[in-house]
Amino acid sequence: MSYSMDDRVLLDTERESRISHFRAWVLILIPLLALLFQFYVPLLIPVLRFLEIPLLITIYFGMMRRSQVGGLFTGMVLGLAVDSLSGNPIGMVGICRTLVGYFSASIALRIDVEHPVIRLFVCFLFFLFDQFMYWVLRRALLELNVPFDVNQALLLGALNAVVGVALFHFLDRLKSRV
Amino acid sequence: MESLLVRYRNITLLLLVVFAQVILLAIQVKNKSDVRMIRVWSVTAVTPIAQAVEGSRSAVTTFFGNYVSLKDVREEGRRMRVEIDTLKLENQELKSELAMSDRAKALSLFEARTPSRMLAARIIGNLNGATNKVAFVDRGSNAGVQKGMAVVTADGIAGKVLESYPTASQILMVDDPGFAAGVISQKNRVRGILMGVGHGKCKVEFVQNEEKVEVGEVFYTSGDDRVFPKGMPAAKVTAVSPGTTDKQIAADPLGLQNGAEEVLIVVQGVHQEIPEMAAPSPAVYIGPDAPADKTAPSTLDSKQPLLTDADRLREKYREVGEAQNHKFGEGTPGSTPPNFNLPVRPAVPKPDAATEPPKPEPAKPVIPKPIR
């Protein structure tokens, strides 16, 4: 897949956006594997603890399916699962990921998200949004006075965005041809 | 109105879903309760796969490890055949030491040594964020694990059971900011609360500036929290500085210093004494304790002067018991007590056989006075 600098980024109408379809097993197995990765891999390779694969999967399915409702529910299910495995009060990550899923689908209706550079920016921005929302919820709902580490968020956002682009490239191969 | 709802269907749904989760959160925070059903679903969905993956990884690692070990042993054996017996013996000792350093064996040794009843478990997954440090082990409520049980390694405390599910349990690691345990320092017996700060570090809170804590000192569990049995190594102090009212004490958790792949869950804790500090400087000669002075009266000696009424009463009861061959504290409920009304012959001090020969004295009859 090659892109030139004069590729069009903004879409004129919603109809112009191409909705990707996935088989049911992809929609079930990939989120499950993402959870398993988040749960198990840092145990073996602690360096990979920075990766937020469930977040990247939420962004991907939201963008590719271009369905706000679909993105919303994907984000909610993955977020609640992460909450329940992490010992957080249930709903903390769930709310953040619900919003990420919804907004990623909304962006995909306006922007050509097949472009790797766009994907890089989208991943980066949604990572920051997710971290910021999580921080806000912790302060507002749980009254936890924790600082927001901007430098760390920017660095982790960039790393996750790079991994996200590669991951999305792989996931594109799992699209079903309609 | 209907067309308005259709038009804003998606955003309405988003608001409803977010609102529902906020309500869920509010209920959990207000009631300090948990939505166990969702957690059970997630854990049940993920842990069997994680166990299978971990089992496969362990099997492959063990297979290759055994192969390599076998190969090494064979080569070593070939070498040993041409070496002298002393070297053979040395090799055996080294091998034995290597085997002893194996973590699992160390853990089982620790388990056998400690009086608490423990259950060995393997960590099958963790979900460590910037703030929370939790892990899952392959033993759950089916194996007798309950919420709140202590989790330790051979090096010290590692965490506590946050939640117990049928096939797995969630562990709150010692460096999680939500973790807290009552501790006491080894040297100066200073009490405090050990709390996690994330990134494999801890701190000890609520130690006043006036109290003495030194860098390198080890904090042991105090048993006050009723989670960890007293006397388990908890953390080693790395930095101490005075704060506004309390000291700021940074510490390294001892239970995580060699990683925590296998852990022990304390099913039934037994408190132990906190070990005394070792001698600070072995270069300085310290003589043995002076022998006890045999002439000095013991505090338990019955020949001490009877100072209080309680002493006199105790002495009287002792004499009554001796006169009637009764031992206090040995009778079963309902057995006949000694007769406290019988007269007791006053104890006659024994003469010193070396200096004075015994002079038998005739016993004088006791004539009771008539009552007027």
Side-chain angles (χ1 to χ4, degrees):
Chain A
M1 197 183 290
S2 62
Y3 292 90
S4 59
M5 290 303 287
D6 57 354
D7 273 342
R8 213 161 45 122
V9 168
L10 289 175
L11 302 173
D12 291 336
T13 64
E14 288 187 14
R15 286 179 189 173
E16 255 192 291
S17 62
R18 286 174 295 148
I19 297 172
S20 303
H21 295 274
F22 296 91
R23 290 190 182 87
W25 66 265
V26 174
L27 293 175
I28 295 169
L29 189 66
I30 295 297
L32 199 59
L33 286 177
L35 280 177
L36 192 65
F37 181 94
Q38 193 81 359
F39 176 76
Y40 182 70
V41 171
L43 188 71
L44 298 178
I45 313 164
V47 181
L48 296 182
R49 201 174 288 162
F50 73 91
L51 278 178
E52 286 285 351
I53 299 293
L55 172 69
L56 296 175
I57 294 296
T58 303
I59 297 169
Y60 180 77
F61 281 130
M63 289 194 312
M64 290 298 108
R65 297 173 71 203
R66 290 173 170 84
S67 160
Q68 291 170 325
V69 176
L72 179 159
F73 280 111
T74 307
M76 184 189 77
V77 170
L78 275 170
L80 291 181
V82 170
D83 273 331
S84 54
L85 290 173
S86 66
N88 284 329
I90 290 185
M92 291 289 289
V93 180
I95 292 172
C96 303
R97 301 288 157 89
T98 303
L99 293 171
V100 167
Y102 182 88
F103 290 131
S104 60
S106 306
I107 281 183
L109 293 172
R110 303 283 174 206
I111 296 176
D112 179 16
V113 288
E114 303 286 339
H115 200 294
V117 179
I118 300 295
R119 286 180 169 185
L120 191 81
F121 274 107
V122 167
C123 285
F124 178 71
L125 290 177
F126 276 123
F127 183 88
L128 291 184
F129 173 77
D130 180 72
Q131 295 288 305
F132 181 71
M133 278 301 299
Y134 185 69
W135 177 74
V136 168
L137 287 177
R138 289 179 74 200
R139 285 184 77 96
L141 296 179
L142 302 186
E143 293 182 344
L144 287 175
N145 193 11
V146 285
F148 184 69
D149 192 342
V150 179
N151 292 334
Q152 189 188 14
L154 289 173
L155 178 69
L156 294 184
L159 289 171
N160 275 277
V162 172
V163 173
V165 172
L167 181 69
F168 292 179
H169 185 68
F170 164 75
L171 291 174
D172 282 341
R173 296 168 188 272
L174 300 177
K175 286 181 195 170
S176 59
R177 289 166 190 172
V178 181
Chain B
M1 179 70 181
E2 196 176 332
S3 63
L4 202 69
L5 276 178
V6 171
R7 189 175 172 189
Y8 295 107
R9 183 175 63 100
N10 291 353
I11 192 79
T12 310
L13 196 59
L14 172 72
L15 291 175
L16 279 176
V17 169
V18 170
F19 184 69
Q21 290 183 72
V22 171
I23 295 290
L24 191 66
L25 263 173
I27 291 170
Q28 290 172 75
V29 172
K30 188 177 178 189
N31 299 340
K32 291 191 177 3
S33 61
D34 197 12
V35 189
R36 188 173 161 79
M37 191 176 64
I38 298 176
R39 290 197 198 275
V40 170
W41 285 351
S42 303
V43 172
T44 311
V46 173
T47 50
I49 306 172
Q51 279 179 1
V53 173
E54 172 61 19
S56 310
R57 188 193 68 83
S58 297
V60 171
T61 312
T62 309
F63 175 76
F64 282 106
N66 287 344
Y67 176 75
V68 171
S69 301
L70 198 66
K71 207 177 159 190
D72 287 349
V73 168
R74 198 177 294 153
E75 286 174 3
E76 201 167 311
R78 199 179 301 131
R79 245 193 348 266
M80 280 168 68
R81 274 194 291 275
V82 295
E83 286 176 353
I84 59 172
D85 288 344
T86 319
L87 278 177
K88 275 186 185 175
L89 188 65
E90 197 177 310
N91 232 324
Q92 285 295 335
E93 283 174 2
L94 282 171
K95 279 169 103 178
S96 141
E97 275 180 24
L98 273 172
M100 285 290 286
S101 70
D102 182 58
R103 182 180 287 133
K105 285 193 177 178
L107 212 58
S108 65
L109 272 177
F110 171 73
E111 187 181 0
R113 200 176 61 227
T114 187
S116 300
R117 201 155 64 84
M118 298 186 177
L119 183 71
R122 175 189 286 267
I123 291 187
I124 56 168
N126 62 6
L127 212 76
N128 293 340
T131 51
N132 54 332
K133 308 282 174 191
V134 293
F136 279 84
V137 293
D138 62 350
R139 297 299 184 102
S141 54
N142 289 346
V145 179
Q146 290 177 16
K147 182 179 177 179
M149 284 180 170
V151 180
V152 301
T153 65
D155 301 317
I157 62 170
K160 60 185 169 187
V161 177
L162 196 62
E163 200 62 65
S164 172
Y165 304 101
T167 56
S169 299
Q170 194 178 34
I171 310 294
L172 184 73
M173 300 309 281
V174 67
D175 57 336
D176 185 284
F179 179 89
V183 288
I184 183 167
S185 71
Q186 184 184 22
K187 191 174 176 185
N188 300 309
R189 295 293 194 266
V190 173
R191 285 177 184 271
I193 306 288
L194 181 75
M195 301 175 92
V197 292
H199 308 291
K201 300 284 176 190
C202 287
K203 62 181 176 181
V204 181
E205 293 273 298
F206 307 113
V207 175
Q208 291 186 343
N209 283 329
E210 292 76 23
E211 296 187 286
K212 194 175 177 186
V213 176
E214 295 167 12
V215 173
E217 197 170 349
V218 174
F219 272 89
Y220 284 77
T221 51
S222 65
D224 299 336
D225 50 32
R226 306 189 67 176
V227 173
F228 294 96
K230 183 183 175 185
M232 289 195 156
K236 192 172 187 178
V237 177
T238 54
V240 183
S241 59
T244 316
T245 54
D246 294 338
K247 277 186 188 300
Q248 294 182 333
I249 303 171
D252 280 343
L254 292 172
L256 305 180
Q257 61 182 353
N258 292 323
E261 286 181 23
E262 292 93 14
V263 293
L264 293 167
I265 299 171
V266 182
V267 180
Q268 196 173 25
V270 175
H271 295 297
Q272 300 172 68
E273 286 304 312
I274 294 168
E276 293 295 330
M277 287 278 288
S281 173
V284 177
Y285 172 75
I286 299 172
D289 289 340
D293 189 358
K294 289 178 182 172
T295 57
S298 161
T299 51
L300 297 173
D301 194 353
S302 61
K303 300 287 169 56
Q304 276 187 318
L306 304 176
L307 299 174
T308 63
D309 286 344
D311 289 340
R312 279 187 282 276
L313 194 63
R314 191 181 61 179
E315 182 61 19
K316 184 186 169 191
Y317 282 177
R318 192 183 62 78
E319 286 172 354
V320 167
E322 278 178 4
Q324 298 177 38
N325 289 330
H326 180 87
K327 289 184 179 176
F328 290 103
E330 287 191 353
T332 55
S335 60
T336 314
N339 188 349
F340 292 100
N341 294 321
L342 286 180
V344 180
R345 194 177 58 180
V348 180
K350 285 183 181 176
D352 193 346
T355 57
E356 195 178 338
K359 289 181 182 176
E361 278 188 19
K364 291 180 181 175
V366 179
I367 303 167
K369 290 181 179 178
I371 302 168
R372 293 181 182 179

